[in-house]
Amino acid sequence: MGKRLWVERNKDGSWDAFSEDGAHLKFGKGRGLFTPGDLMKVALAGCAALSSKFPIENTLGEGSGARIVVDGTYDPETDSYLSFEEQVNVDATSADLDDDEVAKLKERVERHIEKGCTVAHTYRQETPVRVNVTVRK
């Protein structure tokens, strides 16, 4: 089993998400808040960012990273995302890489994301979700 997470509603209608190790995130529906669908995209981008960290830092230096943009095709009829598109942008302009080095970096980033991104692995398969409702009285 993974890390336990939970959410709690705020009086203003927003929600707070917590993890057992102290992480915190505010979300909801409204200006300045991530929606649950947004968080799905953040999870995908974040997974690619962490998965690509090693080859990028190995080539471009510590602290280097990618800008990852994720978009999704939403279907209102099924209230679900049909697909996601991820654009991984690595700024290597200060590294003076030749064409072979650029191709190697691109291949390594793709390989690391493909191997290490749990979120993408999960999205690519049918993942059952069981909901158990308890009402205390």
Side-chain angles (χ1 to χ4, degrees):
M1 204 60 147
K3 180 175 25 175
R4 289 192 60 223
L5 306 173
W6 66 94
V7 300
E8 297 175 3
R9 179 117 191 232
N10 297 308
K11 291 182 184 199
D12 68 359
S14 67
W15 292 77
D16 287 307
F18 301 94
S19 73
E20 62 188 4
D21 65 358
H24 171 252
L25 173 77
K26 192 175 200 82
F27 70 98
K29 289 191 175 185
R31 185 168 164 76
L33 296 172
F34 288 112
T35 67
D38 294 336
L39 293 175
M40 291 174 60
K41 295 181 223 174
V42 168
L44 190 58
C47 194
L50 293 175
S51 297
S52 65
K53 179 181 179 250
F54 176 78
I56 293 172
E57 282 192 335
N58 190 278
T59 302
L60 303 179
E62 190 173 334
S64 298
R67 180 174 192 265
I68 301 166
V69 179
V70 177
D71 198 3
T73 302
Y74 177 74
D75 178 14
E77 286 186 29
T78 61
D79 189 30
S80 65
Y81 282 92
L82 302 175
S83 64
F84 294 101
E85 184 168 332
E86 205 168 17
Q87 181 63 47
V88 180
N89 299 297
V90 180
D91 183 355
T93 54
S94 63
D96 196 32
L97 301 178
D98 64 32
D99 290 345
D100 285 343
E101 291 168 319
V102 167
K104 280 183 192 174
L105 176 58
K106 180 180 183 218
E107 188 272 327
R108 288 183 66 215
V109 167
E110 289 170 344
R111 192 174 68 236
H112 277 259
I113 291 171
E114 181 59 36
K115 181 180 178 189
C117 188
T118 303
V119 176
H121 297 161
T122 302
Y123 286 173
R124 288 183 185 133
Q125 65 181 8
E126 185 174 333
T127 306
V129 176
R130 290 171 288 288
V131 178
N132 299 302
V133 176
T134 302
V135 178
R136 293 188 324 200
K137 61 176 194 158

